[in-house]
Amino acid sequence: MCQDTRASRIIIIFKVDYYSFMHQRISTLIFFTLFLFSCGNKHEYSELSAVPIIPQPVYVESGRGVFELTKNSIIYVDSATPEWLTVAEALAEKIRPSTGFAMNILVAQQPTLPGIRLTSVNDPELATEGYHLNITEKLLTVSANTAQGAFRAIQTIRQLLPASIELPSRQDISWRIPAGVIRDFPGYSYRGAMLDIARHFFSVSEVKRFIDLISLYKINYLHLHLSDDQGWRIEIKSWPNLTLHGGKTEVGGGEGGYYTQEQYKEIIKYAQERYITIVPEIDMPGHINSALASYGELNGGTIVPVEGRITNAVNSNTILDGKSKPTELYTGIEVGWSTLRLEKKATFRFVEDVIREISAITPGPYFHIGGDEAQVTKKEDYIQFIDRFRQIVKANKKIMMGWEEIAQAGIDTASIAQFWHSPNYALMAVEKGGKLLMSPAEKAYLDMSYDSTSSFGLHWAAFIEVDSAYSWNPATYIDGISRENIIGIEAPLWSETISNMDEVEYLLFPRLPGYAEIGWSQEKGRSWEEYRVRLGKQERRFKAMKINFYRSKLVPWTN
Ligand code: TNX
């Protein structure tokens, strides 16, 4: 009995142990299931209005239920034009890798199965870039007047889906979006970024990556700074030495580089497919040393060191000896010391050829002639230069864009002056009937460091933390200038201190989404306190896209 008792105790103990063991296993299982479930759904929001979207859409209304993408989801298109079909394909290509779904595209007037429907409508308020989303349990309907509007809508859909949608390989999670309605269109028609390819060269594939990154935030212009003292980056067939010699180096003495016209066209096509217009800039009459180094006939003379000191750069006291020898290639970062010469016969032959060749392969409406910091060009010469540039640009059927200094010349009502630091020039441009593109250096210069500890960037205008970059209003930034005078905003990324994509991305993110929002979203109710939370929730997306971003302490990151 005693033995029996012992035996039954052992059995009881074993049972208790077994149960607690099983219990533990079950709890662990439940815990892991919940954990996995919460990981898979971490990014899911129960209400449409709670999903963090940048730029903030004009109107969001939560509905009932949830739309879910599944392996059976179809993309329906009712307008079978190549443009709409390309947008449908872009949507499918975005969704396929991470979901593993086929996402077949069907041209049909009425959907019969669940999926996403792209429909062409006539809704004046949406204009060219706006779109309307109606999200129900069965169908996510994208309505837009144009394929471009539908493309912008896709960028919103990407952000409505879990961040894992950006991953390159198949993820086993559910792809849900809360039901509701979004209606959205941009505040400004020009929302741009600029990349300086002259100070450091960036390859075609790097520029494509740049385009991918800005297109998620509905940026629609990419301004390429294609020439400067340190390098000439675009092939000009009638002046081959510009690239063969003038493209050979960059800041710090690296090997530089340039785009052939074919490569430039490839960039344009890639941008066009994302509804981004390329604005080419050839900086003249200053910032021109790479051309003067390539063709002696353009040069007013060679540089004679002042007071026996051979400096890296030349300033207004520099003496030119009047002989037309090519200058030396330049790898420093001083500005404002080189100039074209009115009196040189070759000058306007050069200018006409360059503007003609580039205009011929640029489908966008603008040609940017630079015009900044021409500190060694006589003022009366400068005015003549800009007047001639304007006529040549016009003869090539483009609209002249130039940095704010061009306001000193006789600009016309079509011209765009790009404000960067002088309210006087901005006012002058508007008085002459021109329009402004807003790029205040203290707020919108992507090459300004975040703070004094930042590894890259300059700080001559300001340190620009993420809150400062977001907290300004283009329409009230300059006294006497109002919204009607402004076509939009642009954030320029000068590249004196950066030479690879990691560094580009570090300065671009997380400030770029803020600029995109200033350009796109309504001003009403805009606040940094609200925005920083939405921005923090982009972290998972940045990581999925492998973006090297600055982890500002001012943003509540949620990974
Ligand atoms: C000023 S802003 C420049 C550029 C420099 C930049 C550096 C402007 C029109 N010109 O040449 O790269 O500062 O921040």
Side-chain angles (χ1 to χ4, degrees):
M1 189 173 168
C2 187
Q3 268 184 344
D4 272 348
T5 315
R6 265 191 76 206
S8 58
R9 264 182 59 201
I10 290 168
I11 289 167
I12 288 166
I13 288 168
F14 172 76
K15 268 191 180 162
V16 169
D17 267 13
Y18 174 77
Y19 283 126
S20 77
F21 171 71
M22 281 310 284
H23 180 77
Q24 248 180 29
R25 285 199 58 177
I26 289 166
S27 322
T28 315
L29 203 72
I30 292 173
F31 176 78
F32 273 113
T33 314
L34 282 176
F35 178 73
L36 283 177
F37 186 75
S38 72
C39 284
N41 292 276
K42 227 175 175 180
H43 33 253
E44 285 189 358
Y45 299 86
S46 52
E47 295 250 325
L48 185 65
S49 59
V51 186
I53 304 167
I54 300 177
Q56 177 69 52
V58 175
Y59 177 80
V60 181
E61 184 192 311
S62 301
R64 273 211 219 136
V66 177
F67 167 86
E68 182 164 353
L69 268 184
T70 69
K71 63 180 186 343
N72 299 321
S73 299
I74 303 280
I75 296 178
Y76 292 96
V77 202
D78 63 9
S79 165
T81 63
E83 258 210 293
W84 277 86
L85 289 172
T86 310
V87 170
E89 190 52 42
L91 173 61
E93 273 172 19
K94 194 75 235 167
I95 298 174
R96 280 175 192 142
S98 49
T99 61
F101 304 154
M103 298 310 298
N104 289 323
I105 298 169
L106 262 185
V107 177
Q109 290 311 309
Q110 280 305 324
T112 46
L113 293 166
I116 302 179
R117 178 183 185 215
L118 306 182
T119 176
S120 144
V121 294
N122 184 5
D123 183 339
E125 192 187 33
L126 299 180
T128 320
E129 288 190 274
Y131 63 90
H132 186 103
L133 298 184
N134 189 23
I135 309 158
T136 64
E137 297 209 342
K138 288 253 151 58
L139 212 58
L140 193 171
T141 306
V142 178
S143 313
N145 296 324
T146 64
Q148 182 174 0
F151 184 83
R152 303 288 177 236
I154 291 176
Q155 311 319 311
T156 301
I157 295 172
R158 284 168 72 181
Q159 295 188 42
L160 292 174
L161 285 163
S164 313
I165 197 72
E166 305 298 340
L167 291 169
S169 63
R170 196 188 147 150
Q171 310 294 307
D172 264 329
I173 61 164
S174 49
W175 304 98
R176 297 188 191 139
I177 301 177
V181 168
I182 292 182
R183 198 174 164 76
D184 200 14
F185 44 84
Y188 288 102
S189 61
Y190 190 116
R191 304 171 310 280
M194 188 204 85
L195 181 61
D196 174 5
I197 283 138
R199 270 53 176 273
H200 279 101
F201 180 67
F202 294 94
S203 69
V204 173
S205 62
E206 288 173 321
V207 175
K208 285 183 178 173
R209 162 92 175 156
F210 193 93
I211 290 171
D212 284 340
L213 297 180
I214 63 176
S215 91
L216 173 59
Y217 297 100
K218 305 187 176 81
I219 295 289
N220 62 347
Y221 282 89
L222 172 60
H223 167 180
L224 295 176
H225 186 74
L226 291 167
S227 72
D228 213 302
D229 291 317
Q230 299 84 348
W232 189 282
R233 308 295 180 208
I234 175 129
E235 175 193 24
I236 302 296
K237 294 192 195 279
S238 50
W239 296 73
N241 223 28
L242 289 172
T243 43
L244 294 180
H245 182 69
K248 262 202 174 131
T249 191
E250 58 187 8
V251 168
E255 65 181 15
Y258 67 90
Y259 307 136
T260 62
Q261 292 199 358
E262 287 310 307
Q263 286 173 322
Y264 175 74
K265 286 188 210 163
E266 188 184 330
I267 292 174
I268 294 216
K269 180 162 176 286
Y270 194 83
Q272 261 178 339
E273 285 163 3
R274 285 147 189 83
Y275 293 92
I276 290 176
T277 302
I278 298 290
V279 179
E281 177 187 350
I282 296 296
D283 205 347
M284 305 177 287
H287 288 269
I288 196 74
N289 184 66
S290 59
L292 307 185
S294 307
Y295 288 95
E297 60 194 297
L298 294 174
N299 186 26
T302 45
I303 297 155
V304 178
V306 183
E307 294 161 7
R309 212 158 45 93
I310 301 180
T311 56
N312 221 4
V314 194
N315 59 39
S316 49
N317 300 321
T318 304
I319 302 158
L320 293 167
D321 69 3
K323 291 185 203 123
S324 292
K325 278 186 246 146
T327 58
E328 293 293 316
L329 289 172
Y330 180 68
T331 58
I333 65 167
E334 298 293 325
V335 294
W337 51 271
S338 59
T339 185
L340 288 172
R341 302 260 155 186
L342 270 186
E343 67 277 11
K344 290 270 150 191
K345 269 207 216 108
T347 297
F348 281 99
R349 188 160 48 80
F350 160 79
V351 172
E352 282 181 4
D353 287 344
V354 168
I355 295 180
R356 188 189 64 253
E357 286 197 31
I358 297 176
S359 296
I361 51 173
T362 302
Y366 299 116
F367 190 101
H368 200 304
I369 54 87
D372 58 318
E373 300 170 321
Q375 289 156 22
V376 292
T377 319
K378 282 194 222 114
K379 183 161 178 197
E380 57 274 29
D381 291 3
Y382 178 82
I383 289 168
Q384 280 195 53
F385 266 120
I386 303 299
D387 286 345
R388 288 286 297 274
F389 295 161
R390 194 186 66 247
Q391 288 156 13
I392 299 167
V393 168
K394 198 171 169 191
N396 284 282
K397 301 197 169 46
K398 298 290 173 201
I399 297 167
M400 180 173 78
M401 200 179 260
W403 296 103
E404 64 192 18
E405 290 95 323
I406 64 164
Q408 301 169 90
I411 64 170
D412 59 25
T413 52
S415 306
I416 310 288
Q418 185 166 6
F419 167 75
W420 59 283
H421 84 321
S422 158
N424 283 345
Y425 287 148
L427 289 163
M428 218 184 262
V430 166
E431 270 157 30
K432 292 181 178 174
K435 288 252 191 298
L436 295 176
L437 175 59
M438 297 295 289
S439 304
E442 287 165 25
K443 291 287 181 184
Y445 265 29
L446 281 162
D447 66 315
M448 293 298 122
S449 303
Y450 293 98
D451 63 21
S452 58
T453 66
S454 291
S455 329
F456 304 104
L458 303 170
H459 55 268
W460 62 264
F463 287 112
I464 309 182
E465 244 298 352
V466 189
D467 58 342
S468 173
Y470 182 75
S471 310
W472 62 285
N473 180 347
T476 55
Y477 196 78
I478 305 170
D479 279 347
I481 301 286
S482 57
R483 209 183 161 98
E484 307 79 71
N485 309 128
I486 297 169
I487 62 164
I489 85 160
E490 185 177 286
L493 180 51
W494 301 99
S495 63
E496 285 94 334
T497 65
I498 50 173
S499 59
N500 60 50
M501 276 316 272
D502 266 1
E503 295 162 2
V504 165
E505 288 173 19
Y506 178 81
L507 289 175
L508 203 56
F509 284 90
R511 289 182 288 201
L512 180 93
Y515 298 133
E517 179 150 309
I518 293 172
W520 178 284
S521 306
Q522 308 286 301
E523 286 153 34
K524 213 170 137 245
R526 186 178 298 162
S527 94
W528 162 251
E529 287 306 321
E530 182 277 330
Y531 172 73
R532 64 197 274 272
V533 177
R534 250 183 310 127
L535 180 60
K537 290 178 179 155
Q538 296 273 317
E539 178 170 15
R540 251 172 265 139
R541 214 159 285 275
F542 293 168
K543 286 183 173 163
M545 294 171 78
K546 291 202 165 18
I547 294 173
N548 180 36
F549 67 101
Y550 161 66
R551 221 165 181 284
S552 168
K553 291 200 179 65
L554 306 181
V555 179
W557 299 107
T558 44
N559 47 34

